[in-house]
């Protein structure tokens, strides 16, 4: 696995509003995979995911509540 490369491509997609990329970057930030562990950044990515994805629904409130920093 080349997580740094994955993060690079997810970031490009997330910056264009791709909800799945925003969610995945939140997971990477939460877990410290491919990027430094940063719960505040994870929450920021998940907020973007929630606003980009109308189907995020209840899952988004669970995701962001576990990473409130």
């Amino acid at each position: 696995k080349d997580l740094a490369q994955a993060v690079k491509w997810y970031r490009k997609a997330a910056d264009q509003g791709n909800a799945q990329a925003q969610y995945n970057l939140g997971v990477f930030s939460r877990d410290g995979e491919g990027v430094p562990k940063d719960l505040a950044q994870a929450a920021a990515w998940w907020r973007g995911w929630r606003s980009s994805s109308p189907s995020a629904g209840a899952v988004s409130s669970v995701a962001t509540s576990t990473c409130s920093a």
Side-chain angles (χ1 to χ4, degrees), residues 18-32:
N18 182 287
Q20 186 63 52
Q22 292 167 338
Y23 178 82
N24 289 342
L25 284 168
V27 172
F28 288 164
S29 296
R30 179 196 66 198
D31 297 343

Side-chain angles (χ1 to χ4, degrees), residues 2 5 9 12 15 22 39 43-44 54 57-58 63:
D2 186 353
Q5 189 69 11
W9 289 108
K12 286 179 182 265
D15 288 344
Q22 292 167 338
L39 298 181

Side-chain angles (χ1 to χ4, degrees), residues 13-14 16-24 44-61 63-64:
Q16 295 179 12
N18 182 287
Q20 186 63 52
Q22 292 167 338
Y23 178 82
N24 289 342
W45 282 120
W46 284 330
R47 281 190 298 274
W49 164 66
R50 185 164 70 184
S51 65
S52 295
S53 177
S55 63
V59 175
S60 63
S61 63
T64 55

Side-chain angles (χ1 to χ4, degrees), residues 1 3 5 7 11 13-14 17 19 22 26-27 31 37 40 50 54-56 58-59 62 65-66:
K1 283 184 183 180
L3 290 175
Q5 189 69 11
V7 168
R11 188 176 303 272
Q22 292 167 338
V27 172
D31 297 343
K37 187 173 184 172
R50 185 164 70 184
S55 63
V59 175
V62 171
S65 69
T66 61

